[in-house]
Amino acid sequence: MLDELLELEHQGWTSLCDSAGADFYGRLMTPDGVMVLAHGMVLDRDAVVASLDEAPPWRTYEITDERLIPLGDDHAILVYTGRATRDGDEPPFVALMSSVYTRRDGAWRLALYQQTPVPERSGR
């Protein structure tokens, strides 16, 4: 289960690097799914798709410290630290991330995604 869900997270990040996130998350999210983002917004699936159409691409990403919390055969939470960079002088985005997945019609679907920013430490 961990490998399957981690692969979906990698596919999602890759889509964000390739400016294809709107299509990817439009397919992956449940109809009633939401994203709780670091800047204090809660977006439903339609708002996620609309926002990703305009989002600048990420240049690089990294997933570390991944952990799976199984909630049965068809539900699980994936928790990890994500680090991503964009072109330019913008500092890296680092956050603790959690994705709640549910299996529907034999496929994993994203029901909830949440970001909690990790404060930048001095001296880094």
Side-chain angles (χ1 to χ4, degrees), residues 56-59 83-93 120:
W58 292 102
R59 184 172 50 84
R83 179 182 174 90
T85 59
R86 289 196 162 108
D87 287 331
D89 294 334
E90 190 175 325
F93 173 67
E120 185 176 341

Side-chain angles (χ1 to χ4, degrees), residues 21-81:
D23 290 336
F24 180 81
Y25 286 102
R27 290 188 311 273
L28 183 66
M29 291 179 73
T30 60
D32 55 349
V34 297
M35 288 191 175
V36 181
L37 301 178
H39 49 69
M41 293 183 67
V42 178
L43 303 179
D44 65 15
R45 182 176 159 205
D46 290 340
V48 167
V49 169
S51 73
L52 290 176
D53 271 337
E54 303 298 320
W58 292 102
R59 184 172 50 84
T60 65
Y61 79 90
E62 173 181 29
I63 293 174
T64 59
D65 304 321
E66 58 273 5
R67 195 168 29 151
L68 181 74
I69 303 164
L71 302 174
D73 292 338
D74 294 325
H75 312 284
I77 304 168
L78 182 63
V79 177
Y80 62 92
T81 301

